Every structure is written in C-alpha cells, then in structure tokens.
Amino acid sequence: MTTVLEVVRSGPLALVEDLGRPGHAAIGVGRSGAADRSALRLANRLLGNGEELAAIEVTLGGLALVVRGGDAWVAVTGAPVPLTVGRRAAAPYAPVRVRSGETVRLGTPTSGLRSYVGVRGGVDVPPVLGSRSRDVLAGIGPEPLAPGTVLPVGPPPQAYPRVDAVPQRAYEEIVLRVVRGPRDEMVRDPDALVAAAWTVSPAADRVGMRLDGRALTLRDPHTAMPSEGAYRGAVQVPPSGQPVVFLADHPVTGGYPVVAVVTDADVDRAAQARPGQRVTLRWA
C-alpha cells in the first residue's frame, strides 16, 4: 500500500506548493509556487529530498493530517508552530518520524504567516504544466486542501538527512530591501517609500501584499501607461497611492507604475508578514 497523507482539518488555508511553473508567462500563466521558497527548500533538505519536491503550505496553522499506508518522515519549517505527532510534542525545523495511523497537528504560529509541511518523498499529486503548485489567481493546480483530501507520498530518495535539526526562524520584525525603479519617476517623492511606516493590509494574500500608510503621490494619476510584464517582488503603486508588493501568484502583467522591486532574497520574508504587522522598506 502506498503511503498517503489524509487531511483531517485544513485550517484557514492549506495548499500543495513546489517551486512553481516557470516559462509560461507568454500564455498568461505565472510561475506561482511556494510563497516562501526558502522555507520549502529547507523542509526538503531536512528530509533528504530534492529541493524542488512539493510540500504543504499552511497559512496560520490549524492543519491536521493522518499518515496511512506506512510510516513517514515529515519536517515543518517557515512560520514556527506548536507541533504534535500522535500524543507527543515534536519540534519544527527537524525531521520527525510519523508512524502509520498517527496524526500530525499544527497549532497557530508564534510569528510569521506560512508554515511548510514537507514529507520524505514529497507530495506526489499529478503535475499541471510541470508543477504541483496551486496558483490561487489563475486557479491552476491542485484544489485547496479540505478534510478528506488524500495526498500520495512519492518514493523516498536515496539520500538521507544530514542534520538532526536547524535553528528556527523568527518573523517579529520585517525589513525588506528594495531597489529603486523602473518607474520611480512617476511618483513625486520615491524616497517616501522608505521613509514611511507601513502596515500590512488585511487584503494581503498570495497575489500581493498591500501596504497601508501615507499614500505615495503620483505625478499624474490620470496618465495611462501600457501594461508591462510583472514579477515577484515588484512594488506597484495604483492610483490610491498605497503600494502593493507582488508575491507568488501575482498577475503576469500590470498597468500601474512599479516604483521599486524587493530584492529576491527578501521576497520570501515579505510572504511571512501578517496582516496588521509593521513592515519597513530600505533601499538596497
């Protein structure tokens, strides 16, 4: 019998994600993939998996799943959560053996927004356009997890984990480095982006992180510009003047000026900012 993960409780949002589907922007399909790619890679490395294997992205905890059909090894990274396996407490950021029939439960993260549940062998759902990721904007990939969803586990790799545990990450303070441009001349004071105090809007999701604060002023809010290719980390300024940082499921094009871009190394950290949390931007 093949080892599977059966979802008992999904929490606010749980998705299967890998490193996405690059190379399809010309047909209107974005890359998508894990919002925090570094956390996904770390979960896979802890299990001896290839970094590209699919895992479960869990927003604000609450996931519970049962391992069936054989024992499994799991590792939880990203937003640190209280973790139990069966009746015993377990540590995130470490490989944990789960016996067949035991339940893995995630509590609410102490900081950060998104946790990643990796399994040795990876989540082996059928790929769509070369990826097992759910793109919430395009509606491509496996449906969001719900009670009763059964996820097959792939064959274990030949490699074995090299470490017992790694330090947990914390996300109490979110500071993002940004590079100026390419349309910064379209706002009156681009430096206001790094001078202002920003708060993550409740409207933030995998598509983008809207920032609330003192609005940036466009030089001509009535000027129309042709749509341009969009990318993860772009800081777009709509007519409201409230910036939006594009995240994993951003549209492939955008028609508002991009005044700055979050460095690729910091975009994963942006994906861990909670609604209501303060975010600081700094010129790289």
Side-chain angles (χ1 to χ4, degrees), residues 227-230 236 246 250-255:
S227 291
E228 299 178 315
Q236 192 183 67
F246 281 168
H250 64 81
V252 296
T253 61

Side-chain angles (χ1 to χ4, degrees), residues 39 42 45-46 76-78 80 91-94 163-171:
L42 180 57
R45 289 200 302 272
L46 283 168
V76 178
T77 60
Y93 284 81
V163 296
D164 294 329
V166 295
Q168 296 184 22
R169 296 174 180 173
Y171 304 97

